Amino acid sequence: METILISACLVGDKVRYNGKGNYNPLIEKIKDKYDLVLICPEVMGGLSVPRDPSEILKDSVITSSGKDVSSYFNKGALIAKNLANYTNARKAILVDNSPSCGVHNIHNGKFDDVLIKGEGVTTRLLKHYGVTCYTLEEFVEEFITN
Ligand code: SF4
């Protein structure tokens, strides 16, 4: 079975900044077909649940209260990349709009609910090391036929 990294909140783990999960029922279409390695880069990097929301601003990640949490995000991304190497995962399913896991979009860094084109810190590192990143919708559309 192919091994794939997946954002833990997508399968319902309550690891989001607000203490909630982000369960997506499309997970049922893939959970028995792949070895899923759950990652939450923000928690793996040392941040707590719940935590202040964060957004990418230029080359840093900043919380809504103005604290620079880039080092936590970078550490979580590195652990995710090492997990991909260790498990030989060449694909990842990630949550769009997240400062860690965003695939196509991220928030604009002003905490005003505006999205811009961009990718999360972990997404960027995984892609740099050759891991192809998808949203769950994209993955199901591309690889699941029924
Ligand atoms: Fe989900 Fe990724 Fe945010 Fe963790 S860092 S809560 S896995 S989107």
Side-chain angles (χ1 to χ4, degrees):
M1 236 186 240
E2 183 178 357
T3 299
I4 294 180
L5 299 189
I6 186 163
S7 296
C9 59
L10 268 182
V11 304
D13 281 11
K14 295 179 177 167
V15 289
R16 295 185 66 210
Y17 74 93
N18 57 8
K20 296 181 179 174
N22 196 15
Y23 173 74
N24 185 328
L26 282 177
I27 206 79
E28 305 303 327
K29 289 184 177 283
I30 65 165
K31 71 177 188 191
D32 296 328
K33 296 184 168 73
Y34 297 92
D35 274 331
L36 299 178
V37 175
L38 274 56
I39 59 166
C40 176
E42 292 173 28
V43 171
M44 294 189 310
L47 292 168
S48 62
V49 181
R51 54 191 174 277
D52 286 342
S54 302
E55 296 189 2
I56 294 175
L57 184 60
K58 295 181 183 165
D59 292 330
S60 300
V61 187
I62 308 292
T63 69
S64 53
S65 55
K67 184 178 171 196
D68 187 331
V69 286
S70 305
S71 61
Y72 297 94
F73 278 68
N74 292 335
K75 181 179 174 187
L78 195 58
I79 294 170
K81 187 270 285 184
N82 289 342
L83 267 173
N85 284 350
Y86 182 71
T87 62
N88 207 24
R90 307 314 298 154
K91 299 186 183 92
I93 300 173
L94 302 170
V95 176
D96 211 8
N97 308 340
S98 154
S100 284
C101 298
V103 180
H104 304 292
N105 298 300
I106 54 172
H107 288 89
N108 67 358
K110 298 177 183 170
F111 295 92
D112 58 5
D113 271 334
V114 175
L115 294 171
I116 58 173
K117 295 277 176 217
E119 53 198 12
V121 174
T122 292
T123 309
R124 192 184 326 138
L125 191 68
L126 289 174
K127 285 171 71 174
H128 180 77
Y129 282 94
V131 178
T132 309
C133 297
Y134 305 85
T135 65
L136 182 53
E137 290 79 5
E138 288 169 340
F139 189 89
V140 167
E141 188 173 332
E142 185 156 346
F143 297 107
I144 307 296
T145 50
N146 51 31

